[in-house]
Amino acid sequence: MYRTFLAHTAHRAPNETSSMIKATAKKPHIRKQCTDTQLQKMEYSKDPFVKQFGFQVDQSMVQVKGKVLDAPKVGYANQSTAQPNAGVWDNRGKQFFKPVNIK
């Protein structure tokens, strides 16, 4: 599956990747608003199949407690490390220890 993903993305034009990210990267409150809107449009409470199978769809999101973890450091060759800046690791000019295949 991983190789399929790499092969598929290798043929994507840079502007397509940029467009996909812009379409999917949304702030949490915007994503919640979109989800709530879609949930209302679906009208699960009126759906005969949902009723027939005894399902109920809650209209509110589940709230869970979470913890924000510190970002891990990435180790490079010659004992240098890096932490992300604004959620991104800058790998330019860095040399990794040893390249490996991810399966």
Side-chain angles (χ1 to χ4, degrees):
M1 184 166 144
Y2 181 76
R3 291 178 192 214
T4 303
F5 176 75
L6 282 180
H8 183 70
T9 57
H11 300 292
R12 185 176 293 136
N15 64 332
E16 292 175 322
T17 300
S18 174
S19 296
M20 179 188 67
I21 291 170
K22 286 177 185 175
T24 59
K26 303 208 182 298
K27 294 199 178 286
H29 70 280
I30 301 292
R31 184 172 300 281
K32 182 186 181 306
Q33 188 178 40
C34 292
T35 302
D36 289 344
T37 300
Q38 290 301 318
L39 190 59
Q40 288 174 356
K41 286 181 182 179
M42 296 301 295
E43 296 184 318
Y44 285 115
S45 61
K46 297 178 183 177
D47 189 307
F49 294 107
V50 172
K51 287 181 181 179
Q52 180 180 352
F53 287 100
F55 291 127
Q56 289 183 317
V57 179
D58 197 333
Q59 297 292 312
S60 60
M61 291 193 163
V62 175
Q63 292 189 6
V64 295
K65 291 183 180 182
K67 179 179 177 182
V68 177
L69 301 175
D70 293 332
K73 290 183 181 179
V74 175
Y76 299 100
N78 36 12
Q79 299 179 351
S80 66
T81 60
Q83 283 192 281
N85 182 15
V88 176
W89 280 278
D90 185 0
N91 294 320
R92 291 177 287 190
K94 305 286 187 193
Q95 182 179 1
F96 290 91
F97 288 105
K98 179 181 173 186
V100 295
N101 289 331
I102 300 174
K103 296 179 183 181

